[in-house]
Amino acid sequence: MSEQDRLGKNLGAGDGTAEVERCLIGAALVEPALAMGVCEKRGVEADWFTLGECREVWPALARMWRESGVIDPAVLGQALGRAGAIRWLTGCMELCASAKHVGAYVERLAAERLRRAVAALGRDLMKDAAELGGQEALERAEGALANLRAAEKASYGGFSTVGDFEQAIVADYELVRQKRIVEGDLKFFTGLRLPWDVLNVKYTGVKPGIHIVAARPSQGKTAIAVCMSGGLAFDGVRQLFFSVDMHPRLLAERYGALFGQVSLPKLNFGGSRADIEKLRAGLWRVRHAGSADREGPHPDNILISDAWRVDRMVGEIHRAVKYDGVRCVWVDYLQILSGDRDYRTHKEEIDAV
């Protein structure tokens, strides 16, 4: 049977996984430059394999490639230090005479690995539900599902290159030059809008990445976040706000008071009916922020979550970005988040978070 025929057979139902695993090892031995390039991009590790021999060989093979840039089957066989290792490696090379189909081999193993992970997750969920109870089991499941989605999303050739960004980078700076230098609009910027013109000019708006606001307690960190978040909402930017430090209702009150221009302490003491109407108007403005039709359905560009465990937060962020069009995430605040396991010190937990 030709390699092409064997490939077609093995990439069908699950009965050819073992042979595909040996084909991938053989491809790495026959044409390491091509095969290992594909495997490194896809992140192939020993746990991708089900055959014990493959799980043993792969770490030594990958280490030899990283250290020397060559893979010598004879040296590899000696390094494994067991009888029949060289004969087994030779058999893999005979099974796969070239690395022509290495991409298909890798994707087959990725799909099989994902299938095993889904099956293991199902078993873990049943165990967690019995031992931990519904809420904690759900939080663990959120993180596990997010990890599975990440593994499924990481497709072959997933690395970025300079060429991927070249056109967008040049276009952005050409636009900045046109607006600021040619047209004289010195306030122009390309990122997401902050409520303050000076910061927009300095940072050219909010760019992708993690931005941390730090200050002592009761210095206005949440107030700044609410102000910035509200401004983005009026620009039509949908956001997810993790309100860990306060109840979601209290956070909603902050938005209403800010955009209704009314004092919450005054309302708590017993504000006038006019103050209550200002609060109502502020809440209405926030719900409709970013809507072109003020009488139409409210877009609710600010989504609020009280999740405080990282694993659950990861799952909620994934859903919010994929299904709700969220472009910005807020966390208030970092030091009181809980990691996804037990840690020896709080510093170690915050580092992990």
Side-chain angles (χ1 to χ4, degrees), residues 139-319:
E139 290 171 351
R140 289 196 181 187
E142 293 281 5
L145 286 171
N147 291 334
L148 285 180
R149 293 186 185 106
E152 182 182 23
K153 183 180 179 182
S155 60
Y156 159 62
F159 289 144
S160 299
T161 68
V162 172
D164 294 334
F165 307 107
E166 178 182 358
Q167 186 174 353
I169 289 172
V170 172
D172 266 1
Y173 285 110
E174 285 181 344
L175 182 59
V176 169
R177 179 189 178 280
Q178 175 66 27
K179 292 291 187 180
R180 289 193 174 182
I181 305 302
V182 178
E183 300 179 17
D185 182 5
L186 297 181
K187 293 184 177 181
F188 177 80
F189 59 93
T190 54
L192 297 179
R193 182 176 68 90
L194 292 165
W196 308 285
D197 288 341
V198 172
L199 288 182
N200 285 324
V201 173
K202 183 175 178 63
Y203 297 111
T204 64
V206 179
K207 296 298 183 67
I210 298 175
H211 305 267
I212 297 177
V213 176
R216 295 176 65 83
S218 301
Q219 297 299 301
K221 297 185 296 294
T222 302
I224 288 178
V226 168
C227 185
M228 295 168 65
S229 171
L232 293 176
F234 278 92
D235 284 345
V237 178
R238 203 139 208 243
Q239 306 152 68
L240 174 59
F241 200 120
F242 288 101
S243 183
V244 187
D245 189 34
M246 63 177 66
H247 191 279
R249 170 180 166 159
L250 299 179
L251 179 66
E253 288 179 0
R254 291 281 194 103
Y255 279 105
L258 174 66
F259 292 99
Q261 292 295 287
V262 62
S263 167
L264 276 178
K266 184 177 180 181
L267 285 168
N268 285 322
F269 181 77
S272 66
R273 182 166 296 279
D275 292 329
I276 296 174
E277 288 305 315
K278 287 181 181 179
L279 178 66
R280 188 199 305 275
L283 293 168
W284 186 93
R285 290 190 187 101
V286 175
R287 294 183 72 194
H288 289 79
S291 174
D293 181 7
R294 308 298 289 178
E295 301 301 325
H298 47 81
D300 275 331
N301 277 328
I302 299 171
L303 311 178
I304 303 175
S305 170
D306 61 356
W308 52 273
R309 285 181 57 97
V310 169
D311 44 10
R312 180 180 167 192
M313 292 170 70
V314 168
E316 292 193 2
I317 290 171
H318 175 89
R319 290 202 309 273

Side-chain angles (χ1 to χ4, degrees), residues 32-42 65 156 159:
L34 176 59
M36 294 307 291
V38 173
C39 293
E40 286 176 345
K41 284 185 176 182
R42 194 63 167 91
W65 174 250
Y156 159 62
F159 289 144

